[in-house]
Each structure stands twice: as structure tokens, then as C-alpha cells.
């Protein structure tokens, strides 16, 4: 019995010594990479602090303040300018309006249908021409809030417009030349003639030209557009 007891004690001591040896070996390995481990711990602490700070930040007060300032100094004036552009283009059938929505401290504008009994997006109700005219009205209203008189370029802005709205858009584009240079690209000779006529009536400078493609050469600007117009006119007659 004494021998069995001694063997049990020896086994226990061996296990304890083995654990101590493993711990010493672990500490030895740790000492070789101590700075890297400490740096990682510091990074985890910093990350945890940043996450805690981010969770404590609420954008609700920022959103509310931004929304209030936007409404008082921007939205109301912009909505009025937008309606003025709508009236200038005589878009009486579509009742377009502007609403604002807030997200994460930002205030965004959105074009909606005024007076709609059910929530409906403009593209579900308005024709392609009406959408084009309303987009142009929005752009011009937004442009009116900018002090710079930079030039603007349009690519076929009269696409899908009926004759009534088309005439109003032409006159509006010509009137914008009082503040800045307006460049219009179009493949429609009728649009060219309407713009030229409106510019002459308004006493505004008008310069026409043609952009050609000759073989591999693209974007060649020429001034023989008048000759092409006269040829097309004779062909039509």
C-alpha cells in the first residue's frame, strides 16, 4: 500500500511539474513576441473605445437642426423657384412638387406629384415629355441658386415634348442666355430653327455649327450648317 501511495504522489508531482514547465515555455514564447501582443491589445482597446463612442453618437439632433435650417433658408426658396420654372414652361397638367426627407444628418429633395390621393412616383403617371420638362425645371431652379455664371450644355433637351411645351422650353433656354452661355446639341433641324428664331426675336447672339464624323475622325466642328439647312429645305419643298 505504501508503494502504491508513493507512486501516486510521484505521478501527481510529475503532472504539477509538467504544467509548470508548459507555463515557463509559454512565457518564454510570449517574451519573444511581447511587443506585438501588447500592441494588439492596445489596438483592441482603441477599437472598443471608438465603437463605444460611435454608438453613443446620435444623428437625430443633427438631422433635426439641418432640416430646420434647410427648410428656412433653402427649401422654401428653392420650392418657389421650382414653381416659377414650372409656370414659365406652362406645365399646368402635372402638379409637381418638392418634398424633403432626412437621413443620417442629410436632407435630400425629391420631386413628387402634388395633390395625389395615393403615394405615386412621377414616372408612373407623367409622360416622358412631362418628365423631361420637369427635370429641366428642377435643373434651372437649382441653377438659379448658384452665383457663378458658368456655361451649361444640353443634349436634345426637347425630346418627346409636345409643341406647346416645346416652344416654352425654347424660349426659356434662350432667356437663360441673359445670365450665361447656353450650348444645345441636337440632331433635330426643327429644334435648331426654333432656337435660332427665338434668339433673333429676343435679340440674343446665336451661333450655329455642325459636329461631323469623317472616317476615323470624330468631333470635327464645321460652320457650313446654313448650307445643309438650305439643302434640306429645298428637299422638303
Amino acid at each position: 500500500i505504501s508503494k502504491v501511495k508513493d507512486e501516486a504522489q510521484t505521478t501527481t508531482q510529475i503532472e504539477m511539474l509538467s504544467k509548470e514547465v508548459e507555463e515557463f515555455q509559454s512565457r518564454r514564447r510570449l517574451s519573444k513576441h511581447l511587443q506585438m501582443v501588447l500592441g494588439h491589445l492596445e489596438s483592441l482597446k482603441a477599437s472598443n473605445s471608438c465603437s463605444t463612442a460611435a454608438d453613443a453618437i446620435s444623428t437625430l439632433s443633427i438631422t433635426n437642426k439641418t432640416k430646420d435650417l434647410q427648410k428656412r433658408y433653402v427649401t422654401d426658396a428653392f420650392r418657389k423657384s421650382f414653381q416659377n420654372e414650372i409656370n414659365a414652361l406652362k406645365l399646368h397638367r402635372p402638379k409637381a412638387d418638392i418634398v424633403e426627407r432626412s437621413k443620417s444628418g442629410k436632407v435630400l429633395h425629391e420631386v413628387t406629384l402634388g395633390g395625389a390621393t395615393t403615394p405615386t412616383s412621377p414616372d408612373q403617371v407623367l409622360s416622358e415629355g412631362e418628365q423631361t420638362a420637369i427635370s429641366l425645371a428642377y435643373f434651372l431652379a437649382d441653377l438659379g441658386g448658384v452665383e457663378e455664371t458658368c456655361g451649361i450644355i444640353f443634349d436634345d433637351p426637347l425630346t418627346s415634348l409636345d409643341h406647346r411645351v416645346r416652344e416654352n422650353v425654347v424660349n426659356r433656354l434662350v432667356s437663360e442666355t441673359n445670365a450665361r452661355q447656353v450650348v444645345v446639341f441636337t440632331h433635330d433641324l426643327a429644334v435648331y430653327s426654333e432656337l435660332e428664331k427665338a434668339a433673333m426675336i429676343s435679340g440674343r447672339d446665336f451661333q450655329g455649327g455642325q459636329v461631323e464624323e469623317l472616317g476615323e475622325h470624330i468631333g470635327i466642328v464645321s460652320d457650313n450648317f446654313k448650307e445643309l439647312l438650305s439643302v434640306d429645305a429645298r428637299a422638303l419643298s
Side-chain angles (χ1 to χ4, degrees):
I1 296 174
S2 175
K3 183 177 179 180
V4 172
K5 184 177 180 180
D6 290 342
E7 289 179 354
Q9 290 177 348
T10 301
T11 301
T12 301
Q13 290 177 351
I14 291 174
E15 291 177 351
M16 292 177 60
L17 290 174
S18 296
K19 290 182 179 179
E20 290 181 1
V21 170
E22 289 180 358
E23 183 178 352
F24 285 134
Q25 289 177 343
S26 298
R27 291 186 178 185
R28 183 180 179 182
R29 288 194 299 269
L30 177 62
S31 64
K32 294 180 180 180
H33 306 285
L34 182 60
Q35 294 302 321
M36 181 179 67
V37 173
L38 291 177
H40 182 64
L41 291 175
E42 289 298 325
S43 298
L44 290 176
K45 290 180 181 179
S47 176
N48 184 63
S49 299
C50 291
S51 298
T52 302
D55 293 338
I57 296 175
S58 174
T59 61
L60 180 59
S61 59
I62 299 175
T63 299
N64 290 336
K65 188 62 176 179
T66 303
K67 187 175 181 179
D68 178 59
L69 294 174
Q70 185 86 4
K71 183 176 181 180
R72 277 195 289 169
Y73 298 108
V74 178
T75 303
D76 291 342
F78 181 71
R79 181 179 287 110
K80 182 178 180 181
S81 178
F82 176 69
Q83 289 300 328
N84 289 338
E85 295 294 344
I86 291 291
N87 294 334
L89 300 182
K90 298 181 180 179
L91 296 172
H92 302 305
R93 192 186 78 85
K95 304 297 181 182
D97 196 6
I98 295 177
V99 297
E100 59 184 23
R101 55 186 178 88
S102 304
K103 182 180 180 181
S104 301
K106 298 180 181 179
V107 179
L108 306 175
H109 287 148
E110 182 179 3
V111 177
T112 62
L113 293 177
T117 56
T118 57
T120 306
S121 61
D123 60 335
Q124 293 177 324
V125 177
L126 303 179
S127 66
E128 181 181 351
E130 289 172 332
Q131 293 181 52
T132 299
I134 289 175
S135 299
L136 181 61
Y138 190 100
F139 171 76
L140 292 172
D142 190 40
L143 191 66
V146 181
E147 294 183 358
E148 291 84 358
T149 57
C150 57
I152 52 178
I153 301 175
F154 295 98
D155 184 9
D156 269 330
L158 279 69
T159 302
S160 303
L161 299 180
D162 62 48
H163 68 282
R164 176 181 54 82
V165 177
R166 180 185 178 115
E167 180 182 357
N168 297 329
V169 170
V170 167
N171 292 330
R172 180 62 185 87
L173 293 180
V174 171
S175 68
E176 187 63 25
T177 61
N178 291 320
R180 68 191 78 249
Q181 183 183 27
V182 179
V183 179
V184 178
F185 287 98
T186 182
H187 63 277
D188 191 335
L189 294 180
V191 172
Y192 177 93
S193 298
E194 291 173 21
L195 287 169
E196 183 179 31
K197 180 180 178 181
M200 291 178 60
I201 294 175
S202 301
R204 307 302 305 169
D205 293 334
F206 181 88
Q207 180 65 45
Q210 176 181 326
V211 181
E212 298 178 293
E213 175 184 354
L214 297 177
E216 298 180 353
H217 303 284
I218 301 174
I220 301 175
V221 180
S222 61
D223 57 359
N224 62 341
F225 200 65
K226 288 291 185 180
E227 297 178 6
L228 292 176
L229 283 178
S230 62
V231 171
D232 289 338
R234 289 196 300 271
L236 291 175
S237 62

